[in-house]
Amino acid sequence: AQSVAQPEDQVNVAEGNPLTVKCTYSVSGNPYLFWYVQYPNRGLQFLLKYITGDNLVKGSYGFEAEFNKSQTSFHLKKPSALVSDSALYFCAVRNNFNKFYFGSGTKLNVKP
Amino acid sequence: DAGVIQSPRHEVTEMGQEVTLRCKPISGHNSLFWYRQTMMRGLELLIYFNNNVPIDDSGMPEDRFSAKMPNASFSTLKIQPSEPRDSAVYFCASSYGTSGGVDIQYFGAGTRLSVL
């Protein structure tokens, strides 16, 4: 079965500390991987994507993600968290048939 | 571009009534997606159009749900008759797809539907 897993419902981190939001996937073929962020009462906004090439992808607002093929993971990271980063984060994967699978979302709480 | 535009932003209706949600995708985009988001089930893909043609409607929950895309700049999602369990936030997203496939999706602000 094809799927995306975000094992943590919530991640708490202090402002200024590094953050990691985890994502693993199971999909046939070569996946396209995405991270989106959702602020309250808003639609999802694109953060970054991996298609091919360098395993470390840089995106908006200082976020980056590392693709690990052997572990089928695509964890989202940021070296120094901001309170304004507090939001709901979704990992998504697209298979070769243009089918998208979204994870269940991880709520990031950054405390001052 | 104003982005993906959805209307209405909020809809409150009574069980059994017909509900129509509307979406205007970003100009030039050729793929359109309808999603439903609930606390219990998360984000679910309902249907995906490419060049105005439904490609994958396997996520449409039942016959009460129907979606149309009469042209490249407009799509509707209709629920008839509506039920309380249809209460959710419905998102429309659009994207530009090439022979390599669909890329980044741009989401509208969503329609919050409450069926009483």
Side-chain angles (χ1 to χ4, degrees), chain A residues 5 10 14 20 22 27 32-33 39 41 47 56 61 66-67 73-74 81 94-95 98 101-102:
Chain A
Q10 185 166 302
T20 298
K22 296 179 181 177
V27 69
Y32 284 35
L33 296 157
Y39 297 101
N41 300 313
L47 272 181
L56 185 64
Y61 312 120
E66 186 168 13
F67 171 64
S73 68
F74 189 56
R94 195 211 87 184
N95 67 11
N98 280 329
Y101 300 87
F102 279 83

Side-chain angles (χ1 to χ4, degrees), chain B residues 21-66:
Chain B
L21 311 181
R22 297 173 175 80
C23 175
K24 177 179 169 56
I26 292 173
S27 177
H29 282 187
N30 57 5
S31 298
L32 185 139
F33 305 79
W34 281 101
Y35 291 90
R36 178 171 67 177
Q37 186 178 37
T38 61
M39 290 291 292
M40 290 295 294
R41 301 171 72 99
L43 193 66
E44 303 173 274
L45 175 65
L46 300 177
I47 188 168
Y48 153 48
F49 291 88
N50 184 250
N51 292 324
N52 312 336
V53 176
I55 303 298
D56 182 356
D57 65 354
S58 59
M60 296 286 265
E62 48 198 274
D63 291 345
R64 296 185 298 108
F65 285 70
S66 62

Side-chain angles (χ1 to χ4, degrees), chain A residues 52-110:
Chain A
T52 186
D54 193 347
N55 289 344
L56 185 64
V57 179
K58 294 187 183 297
S60 306
Y61 312 120
F63 283 92
E64 57 190 29
E66 186 168 13
F67 171 64
N68 187 316
K69 187 173 183 178
S70 63
Q71 297 185 5
T72 61
S73 68
F74 189 56
H75 300 332
L76 181 69
K77 300 180 179 183
K78 187 173 182 180
S80 179
L82 300 173
V83 173
S84 57
D85 292 330
S86 298
L88 189 58
Y89 290 81
F90 289 91
C91 179
V93 61
R94 195 211 87 184
N95 67 11
N96 290 343
F97 302 100
N98 280 329
K99 182 101 175 182
F100 278 82
Y101 300 87
F102 279 83
S104 55
T106 298
K107 185 177 182 182
L108 174 65
N109 295 316
V110 182

Side-chain angles (χ1 to χ4, degrees), chain B residues 12 14 25 32 40 52 75 84 93 113:
Chain B
V12 181
E14 292 186 349
L32 185 139
M40 290 295 294
N52 312 336
S75 178
L113 174 65

